[in-house]
Amino acid sequence: MSEYAIDRIDSTDDTVYLYIEDDMGWNDKLEYTHLLALQAKMNQYLDYVEAGQLYKDMPEAKEKPVEVIIESIYEAPENCMQFITVVNEVLKDSVMRVRYTQKTQES
């Protein structure tokens, strides 16, 4: 079993999806704490891929791009979207990308 706490993994024929299930709100008092928590989780996911553990757990992922999806019922504030932009810029030469999705409460 992997030492990494990955919330959910899914794949299609051409992409692997690693999900961060984010249920923390974005009020002004929590925004900084929330961003730090997302950064820590993101670093764990990046390490999971870069250390090769994803490919040990899921050998069929070897030739596929990896998309990390931060999934939340809350709309992301501008600072979060800027964080994701910076992360994607850092990852531009890798197989990984990050995106934020807001889901409805019933999904």
Side-chain angles (χ1 to χ4, degrees), residues 7-56:
D7 293 339
R8 192 169 88 234
I9 300 176
D10 197 5
S11 70
T12 61
D13 289 340
D14 59 352
T15 306
V16 174
Y17 300 97
L18 304 179
Y19 289 87
I20 295 175
E21 295 174 355
D22 181 24
D23 60 358
M24 189 183 292
W26 285 106
N27 70 44
D28 290 342
K29 292 181 181 180
L30 290 178
E31 186 172 312
Y32 180 73
T33 302
H34 193 161
L35 284 170
L36 288 178
L38 274 180
Q39 182 178 9
K41 188 80 168 183
M42 183 68 58
N43 286 339
Q44 186 177 49
Y45 278 46
L46 297 174
D47 188 47
Y48 177 70
V49 175
E50 290 175 354
Q53 189 62 48
L54 168 65
Y55 308 115
K56 291 176 186 169

